[in-house]
Amino acid sequence: MSNHLKGISMAFLGVFILSPDALLIRLADADSWPILFWRGIFYALGIIIILLITHQSKALNEVKKIGKDGLLIGILTGLGSVTFVFAVQLTSIASALIIISIMPIMTAIISWILLREKSGIFTWFAMLLVVIGIYIVMDGEPKGSSLFGNLFALASVTFGATGFTLIRKNKNINMIPAMGVNAIVSALIAAIFVESIRLPLDSMMYIFAMGLMVSLSFSLLTSAGRYIPATEVGMFMPLGAVFGTLAGWLIIDEQPSSGALVGGFIVLLTMFIHSWHSNKVAKD
């Protein structure tokens, strides 16, 4: 398997694992601050487990290698985690996910600003099709979303895109430990504002699953950024909106509209063609 195909596979799997995140936040049925606190704790635990499994006695050395950029990545993505939870709590899942789906465009812009990493015309066209597909998916959703929730979603995607761009800049460094910083930052911010961390057992189970799921997902997405451009990693994020819709259908019987099915098909087909094309170009 080529490095490029390896990066694509990691990005796809990472987004697939992450897709039920918004649904689990809703299922936890609790205030944002305690969710963020426990999500961060379990997220950090997951990162520690992954580092110990993959690097064993050298895990601490991997943490030391991330440097100042790694700390910045952790802080930025940590802020992205905080704003994402508030986005899902303050607006509809659909509205939050459609805004998060602009990740590829935001990443392309930030990559150009910070790294002068230009995207080809094929990638820009694919991004346009993906955004159109996501719009069709979400067009039938209830209107009247919270302005603050939408602004939090926009902040989340901006923090995330900047983090992925910095990961690409430091592609020779394992930045999985930076996701541990992400988890700690979100937990510390929550600890400042939370009134009580006590939650019902059902809520804790959802948050526990959420934390471990996010740790595995972002470890894969972070690793993918070492093999493919940040823009290509961002290209996979809209798939989360499609998979998230399917998760809602399967788990809480929220049947998608015909628009969701058509838009989902456009996104999946576009992603397949783009991945095939980019892998072919990388080999040539």
Side-chain angles (χ1 to χ4, degrees):
M1 181 184 291
S2 67
N3 283 340
H4 192 263
L5 184 57
K6 185 185 296 183
I8 287 175
S9 301
M10 287 179 173
F12 175 84
L13 187 57
V15 168
F16 180 77
I17 293 171
L18 185 65
S19 57
D21 192 26
L23 177 63
L24 289 173
I25 291 172
R26 284 293 182 84
L27 289 173
D29 193 24
D31 291 337
S32 298
W33 291 123
I35 288 178
L36 276 165
F37 177 80
W38 287 114
R39 185 178 189 262
I41 295 296
F42 294 135
Y43 184 1
L45 177 62
I47 294 295
I48 291 171
I49 292 172
I50 289 170
L51 287 174
L52 290 175
I53 291 174
T54 55
H55 296 284
Q56 299 177 2
S57 61
K58 297 181 180 179
L60 186 58
N61 290 334
E62 293 299 309
V63 175
K64 294 177 180 178
K65 289 179 183 178
I66 65 173
K68 293 181 180 178
D69 276 0
L71 290 175
L72 181 57
I73 290 167
I75 292 170
L76 287 169
T77 53
L79 292 172
S81 294
V82 172
T83 48
F84 176 74
V85 170
F86 273 93
V88 174
Q89 293 280 57
L90 295 175
T91 188
S92 68
I93 291 177
S95 295
L97 291 178
I98 192 172
I99 294 172
I100 296 298
S101 75
I102 70 171
M103 176 73 81
I105 295 176
M106 190 69 73
T107 304
I109 293 171
I110 293 174
S111 293
W112 179 77
I113 293 172
L114 297 182
L115 307 181
R116 298 301 175 185
E117 192 174 69
K118 296 182 179 180
S119 300
I121 186 65
F122 189 86
T123 295
W124 281 103
F125 181 68
M127 286 192 282
L128 176 62
L129 287 179
V130 164
V131 171
I132 291 172
I134 294 296
Y135 176 79
I136 294 173
V137 169
M138 303 303 180
D139 188 46
E141 297 293 331
K143 302 299 188 292
S145 299
S146 164
L147 174 61
F148 286 112
N150 291 336
L151 290 175
F152 274 121
L154 182 60
S156 179
V157 76
T158 303
F159 287 132
T162 307
F164 279 123
T165 301
L166 290 175
I167 288 170
R168 179 62 178 174
K169 176 187 174 185
N170 296 273
K171 62 182 179 180
N172 294 323
I173 301 174
N174 175 19
M175 285 297 178
I176 290 178
M179 297 301 101
V181 178
N182 171 338
I184 293 169
V185 166
S186 59
L188 286 176
I189 291 174
I192 296 172
F193 296 100
V194 70
E195 294 182 1
S196 173
I197 62 173
R198 296 182 63 181
L199 291 174
L201 180 60
D202 287 349
S203 296
M204 289 296 292
M205 290 176 63
Y206 286 124
I207 298 171
F208 177 75
M210 191 192 311
L212 297 186
M213 178 189 71
V214 170
S215 64
L216 179 57
S217 171
F218 275 95
S219 293
L220 288 166
L221 290 170
T222 300
S223 298
R226 302 178 66 187
Y227 299 106
I228 58 178
T231 304
E232 285 193 42
V233 176
M235 274 291 298
F236 285 86
M237 298 307 290
L239 283 174
V242 178
F243 292 144
T245 301
L246 291 175
W249 182 15
L250 295 173
I251 296 173
I252 59 175
D253 198 28
E254 187 176 281
Q255 187 171 356
S257 64
S258 58
L261 296 175
V262 172
F265 176 76
I266 292 173
V267 171
L268 291 172
L269 182 62
T270 302
M271 294 306 305
F272 174 79
I273 294 174
H274 180 270
S275 297
W276 172 81
H277 178 268
S278 58
N279 187 57
K280 184 175 181 295
V281 169
K283 288 182 177 180
D284 293 340

